[in-house]
Amino acid sequence: MKKTKGFTFRTIFPPPPKPSLTRPCPFKAYSLIPVSPLAMLDPTILTIGGIVLGIAIIERILERWGVIDLVDQFAKVMRFILPVTFYSALIYFFVTFML
């Protein structure tokens, strides 16, 4: 009859790693700004802002050239478009912003 040899658990599996002597101290970090300013670099918001800024610059150039009739038309249109653009971009930002 053959003799069977027994193995202990420690010889088959390596021992678990020992914990390090230095332990990281847990700390709580608080942010005073709930929304990152870098989130405003969304291409859609930058495009809308660039279009509105371009229209305002065109309006100033036309005013310097003395085309007051066209400037009045721009002012009437911008009086409606600017608030609508601002609120729609604000709603878009908060809808697409991920917390």
Side-chain angles (χ1 to χ4, degrees):
M1 209 169 165
K2 270 184 144 183
K3 187 176 176 184
T4 58
K5 187 176 180 182
F7 292 104
T8 61
F9 182 79
R10 293 181 188 240
T11 58
I12 296 174
F13 296 104
K18 295 185 179 184
S20 64
L21 297 176
T22 60
R23 295 182 188 168
C25 296
F27 65 94
K28 293 182 180 180
Y30 295 101
S31 175
L32 298 176
I33 303 173
V35 178
S36 171
L38 295 178
M40 293 299 288
L41 294 178
D42 184 33
T44 306
I45 293 178
L46 289 176
T47 303
I48 292 171
I51 291 171
V52 170
L53 186 63
I55 291 173
I57 290 172
I58 290 172
E59 185 178 353
R60 292 296 174 198
I61 290 172
L62 289 174
E63 186 179 3
R64 284 190 180 177
W65 286 352
V67 191
I68 302 300
D69 299 340
L70 200 53
V71 172
D72 284 341
Q73 294 298 321
F74 265 105
K76 287 178 185 176
V77 171
M78 292 303 286
R79 195 172 292 141
F80 172 74
I81 289 181
L82 280 176
V84 170
T85 305
F86 172 74
Y87 288 118
S88 61
L90 192 66
I91 289 169
Y92 171 80
F93 173 71
F94 283 117
V95 166
T96 58
F97 180 68
M98 294 192 192
L99 294 174

